[in-house]
Amino acid sequence: MKFSKSLPFRNLAGKPVRTTVLILLTALLSLTVFGGTLMIISLKTGLHSLESRLGADIMVVPYEATTKANLENIVLQGATGYFYMDNARYEKIADCDGIGQISAQFFLASASSSCCSVAVQIIGFDPETDFTITPWIQKSYGQELQKFDVVVGNDLNAFVGDTITFYGIDCHVAAKLDKTGTAFDTAVFTNQETIKALIQSSLDLKMNTFQNIDPEKVVSCVMINAAEGYTVEEIVNDINIHVKKVKAIQTKEMISGISDSLAGISDIISILILVVWVLGVVILLLAFTMSVNERKKEFAVLRVIGASRNRLAGIVMQEALLTCLSGSIIGTALGLVIIMPFHQMIEEQLNLPFLLPASGKIIGFVIAAVLVSVLSGCISAAASAFRISRIDTALILRGDN
Amino acid sequence: MILKAEKISKEFIREMKNTNRFFAVQETDFILESGSLTVLMGRSGSGKSTLLNMFAGLMLPTSGKILLDNTDMYSLPDKELSEFRNRHIGVIPQGQTALHSLNVLENVCLPYTLGGEDAHEADALALLETLEIAPLQAAMPAELSGGELRRMAIARAFLRKPEIILADEPTSDLDDETTKIVFSFLKHAAQNGSAVFVVTHENDAVQYADRVFRMNAGILEEQ
């Protein structure tokens, strides 16, 4: 028998308004479950990505950087800015106890004038000591960066092979990084040889706010990983006490604000999911109860014709399955349509790192959301199915007269 | 096929009344034989429909057995009993019994399509022709009169050519002319070997009957 002629399908088609309402309700349920879960996971993935991209326990910057430039804005929010300190301070930091890994980084902000293709944050690193940037550049570009090679963040409108100009110097785009959902998506990375040349050029063009620096003798920040047997707090205190004019910051503390905001948003979304789920299940339960109650006579007729009690329950469950499956597919599709194309806008609105999980995981969430919604619908219909399977056929048929 | 009732009774409990127990059907024996039309008459509430529902396997007797060719009907598991009813017993229930999401022809074909079998539309159409509602085959139940719906239910009960026909007030919504058609139809089924049991208030039914019974306060008496 054709599916379109099956009794559950015909029952649903025969009541288009009721069926549409049930489908929309399930769609809302799955949209909330899928959309909400994807939001929470994307925010968590974004935070995790940010943590791993920072890649160090401690960041040491010139003391004035914490006040003059908003460090967190540069590192976490993608604002442009730069600051420098003497190499000597790097040496003193390196002499502190408990340093496991240490590497200097160099910042420069390109300008939006004709000297530069784009206004972005340029981050330079020392390939010999770097342990924070190199590992994830390696994933996109397995070779060593040559002079004037740059690697661009995923959100920048530049592609491998392009040439982009900073302070009159043409740089070759060697690689484009994968999406991170963080401020690093709008940054450009290069080795220290290139960035020192760029800093010098910015000085030559009198476009650098620091006029009296020697690029060969300055660094912007120092990234540190604690050695075994030392706590991060100990090292931070040691640096802040013994090295003048610098500020050592635990990277965990830097992202704690983001982490708190994320926890808050996750909680709100989780509560929303729970409330919508509970409401959805209750409304579906009522809807299925009403739908079955108003058709009690029809079920009694089916019983007279020869439907077993299990068959009656099966018809109710099949109707619920068809409704909830259609609704949940619509809901998850809607969730994909809303979140996938607009994730950048959502990221900007939330002002938090937001990274969609890999497609495989998203497919997993789609399947899970459909299953949860279908299961919720079936649970809601189960009571009605059970009750209809226990009907007193004779009593119902007599009740009509 | 012989339907035999042995010492069956049906007791109900009225929870809201002082006399909380009463027998809708007093202990009785009964045999419904193939090739005969049996008419059961009696006042409303005398227990006629209760007896019919027990014969249909829809209401467990309080005592006694209902045997179908020596098999106790109520000893069968629900699935088997339902399948048996589907294949061998055609029930015409009281009142309007259409499924409103299906058209007339689909309603008539339900005994087959319910189990996923071929619809046997040609047989269904032939029955609709006999009952003079063939032009309404594509109509939805909401478009039909009470009499037309009743004839549709009769056609549905006959589709599988069941050995036993149990009809509860089959002509209650019908005019005299159609009542005659229906009784002739039931008589014809009996003459073709079916065991036909009709609960009715129609006095004219007697002229079609091979046996006539009367029910009075749960007591069955042959006339």
Side-chain angles (χ1 to χ4, degrees):
Chain A
M1 187 172 49
K2 279 184 188 169
F3 168 71
S4 60
K5 288 199 169 184
S6 74
L7 197 53
F9 182 83
R10 295 301 300 273
N11 283 342
L12 294 174
K15 292 275 183 185
V17 176
R18 184 187 66 199
T19 306
T20 307
V21 170
L22 284 174
I23 287 176
L24 288 178
L25 196 63
T26 324
L28 177 70
L29 191 70
S30 62
L31 170 66
T32 315
V33 170
F34 173 69
T37 310
L38 194 59
M39 287 277 285
I40 292 174
I41 298 294
S42 298
L43 286 168
K44 285 187 176 168
T45 311
L47 182 70
H48 181 70
S49 172
L50 180 62
E51 280 172 341
S52 65
R53 291 297 181 258
L54 283 174
D57 299 329
I58 302 162
M59 186 176 189
V60 187
V61 294
Y63 195 82
E64 59 269 25
T66 57
T67 50
K68 272 186 186 173
N70 191 333
L71 182 63
E72 284 190 16
N73 277 351
I74 294 170
V75 177
L76 305 178
Q77 311 293 355
T80 55
Y82 49 95
F83 37 78
Y84 303 103
M85 58 185 171
D86 287 345
N87 257 343
R89 284 188 232 173
Y90 173 83
E91 303 299 337
K92 279 193 175 176
I93 295 164
D95 286 342
C96 288
D97 290 338
I99 307 290
Q101 288 175 296
I102 184 164
S103 184
Q105 285 186 0
F106 309 84
F107 295 166
L108 179 66
S110 61
S112 51
S113 60
S114 59
C115 68
C116 303
S117 305
V118 280
V120 289
Q121 182 72 11
I122 307 167
I123 301 171
F125 58 93
D126 177 358
E128 284 182 15
T129 56
D130 178 67
F131 58 93
T132 61
I133 297 170
T134 307
W136 42 282
I137 283 186
Q138 287 291 327
K139 285 182 191 167
S140 306
Y141 187 66
Q143 304 164 46
E144 200 173 313
L145 290 178
Q146 302 301 311
K147 193 171 184 185
F148 301 127
D149 274 354
V150 293
V151 176
V152 295
N154 195 272
D155 286 350
L156 289 180
N157 189 25
F159 302 93
V160 175
D162 284 358
T163 299
I164 47 178
T165 308
F166 297 119
Y167 297 108
I169 295 176
D170 288 343
C171 296
H172 166 250
V173 177
K176 186 161 184 156
L177 295 173
D178 291 338
K179 180 91 179 155
T180 68
T182 68
F184 297 122
D185 286 336
T186 54
V188 168
F189 301 89
T190 188
N191 58 25
Q192 63 173 346
E193 194 184 3
T194 305
I195 199 156
K196 281 178 180 175
L198 296 179
I199 294 170
Q200 187 57 58
S201 183
S202 71
L203 290 165
D204 295 344
L205 291 169
K206 300 195 184 311
M207 296 180 79
N208 195 311
T209 50
F210 295 82
Q211 285 300 318
N212 301 316
I213 55 163
D214 177 355
E216 295 299 329
K217 293 179 180 170
V218 293
V219 299
S220 292
C221 74
V222 181
M223 308 300 279
I224 296 167
N225 265 346
E228 267 191 48
Y230 290 87
T231 66
V232 174
E233 289 81 5
E234 281 173 342
I235 301 165
V236 165
N237 288 338
D238 195 27
I239 294 170
N240 285 336
I241 290 167
H242 295 108
V243 185
K244 286 179 184 172
K245 296 183 180 177
V246 298
K247 174 81 174 168
I249 306 157
Q250 281 192 55
T251 49
K252 256 188 192 172
E253 274 178 16
M254 280 177 74
I255 59 169
S256 66
I258 289 179
S259 187
D260 291 347
S261 305
L262 188 144
I265 288 177
S266 292
D267 287 350
I268 292 168
I269 296 173
S270 301
I271 291 167
L272 188 73
I273 292 174
L274 190 70
V275 168
V276 171
W277 189 81
V278 170
L279 272 179
V281 168
V282 170
I283 295 170
L284 281 175
L285 194 133
L286 291 174
F288 283 124
T289 305
M290 282 162 59
S291 154
V292 167
N293 269 351
E294 73 181 25
R295 290 183 295 148
K296 257 202 285 200
K297 179 82 185 281
E298 291 195 3
F299 284 107
V301 170
L302 288 173
R303 187 104 177 97
V304 163
I305 294 168
S308 66
R309 293 188 181 282
N310 287 343
R311 177 83 175 99
L312 295 190
I315 290 169
V316 175
M317 293 309 289
Q318 281 177 51
E319 286 180 19
L321 187 70
L322 281 173
T323 313
C324 297
L325 192 63
S326 325
S328 55
I329 288 170
I330 292 170
T332 26
L334 210 59
L336 283 171
V337 166
I338 293 169
I339 294 178
M340 299 293 277
F342 298 111
H343 68 94
Q344 199 117 12
M345 207 167 82
I346 296 169
E347 182 182 347
E348 282 165 15
Q349 291 298 315
L350 292 174
N351 206 19
L352 288 170
F354 187 93
L355 182 63
L356 285 172
S359 352
K361 271 192 179 174
I362 294 178
I363 291 168
F365 289 136
V366 167
I367 293 168
V370 169
L371 282 179
V372 166
S373 305
V374 168
L375 203 65
S376 305
C378 289
I379 290 169
S380 307
S384 301
F386 179 76
R387 249 181 319 105
I388 211 67
S389 74
R390 306 258 75 87
I391 53 166
D392 184 337
T393 311
L395 196 69
I396 289 169
L397 290 172
R398 203 167 54 178
D400 188 53
N401 294 277
Chain B
M1 178 170 285
I2 295 176
L3 186 150
K4 194 174 173 189
E6 286 182 356
K7 297 186 186 312
I8 58 162
S9 70
K10 185 67 189 178
E11 185 184 20
F12 285 113
I13 297 169
R14 285 180 176 141
E15 290 175 2
M16 302 301 287
K17 297 197 176 176
N18 293 333
T19 51
N20 58 355
R21 283 168 183 272
F22 79 102
F23 279 90
V25 176
Q26 303 274 8
E27 191 175 289
T28 191
D29 293 320
F30 183 84
I31 294 176
L32 185 63
E33 288 171 334
S34 301
S36 72
L37 191 152
T38 303
V39 167
L40 176 61
M41 304 182 81
R43 296 178 61 187
S44 295
S46 59
K48 305 184 298 294
S49 294
T50 302
L51 189 67
L52 182 140
N53 284 324
M54 287 195 286
F55 291 166
L58 296 169
M59 187 182 277
L60 179 69
T62 306
S63 66
K65 287 179 191 173
I66 294 173
L67 304 171
L68 287 158
D69 286 343
N70 296 321
T71 303
D72 183 357
M73 185 191 269
Y74 287 96
S75 69
L76 296 172
D78 179 65
K79 190 166 183 276
E80 276 181 47
L81 177 56
S82 302
E83 272 175 19
F84 187 89
R85 187 163 52 242
N86 175 261
R87 287 173 192 277
H88 304 287
I89 305 176
V91 183
I92 303 161
Q94 282 184 29
Q96 306 310 339
T97 57
L99 265 67
H100 288 83
S101 55
L102 306 181
N103 67 25
V104 170
L105 186 62
E106 288 165 337
N107 262 286
V108 175
C109 292
L110 259 176
Y112 281 114
T113 56
L114 186 65
E117 295 175 70
D118 177 63
H120 288 68
E121 285 186 358
D123 294 346
L125 279 170
L127 284 164
L128 292 176
E129 287 282 355
T130 309
L131 290 160
E132 299 178 357
I133 51 166
L136 299 172
Q137 58 173 293
M140 297 307 283
E143 302 169 85
L144 269 59
S145 70
E148 288 162 342
L149 283 170
R150 186 121 282 258
R151 279 181 275 169
M152 186 198 77
I154 293 167
R156 187 175 61 202
F158 274 87
L159 185 66
R160 292 201 81 134
K161 301 179 181 69
E163 290 99 322
I164 298 167
I165 305 283
L166 304 172
D168 197 352
E169 307 281 5
T171 56
S172 60
D173 299 315
L174 305 182
D175 55 50
D176 292 347
E177 190 64 28
T178 319
T179 300
K180 278 181 191 165
I181 294 170
V182 169
F183 274 114
S184 300
F185 193 72
L186 292 168
K187 182 68 183 171
H188 183 69
Q191 284 168 343
N192 282 336
S194 295
V196 183
F197 181 77
V198 184
V199 168
T200 183
H201 286 107
E202 292 280 349
N203 291 324
D204 289 350
V206 175
Q207 60 186 289
Y208 299 92
D210 297 307
R211 297 170 76 192
V212 178
F213 286 81
R214 183 163 287 278
M215 197 97 175
N216 189 10
I219 298 166
L220 187 67
E221 288 171 353
E222 186 159 7
Q223 300 284 291

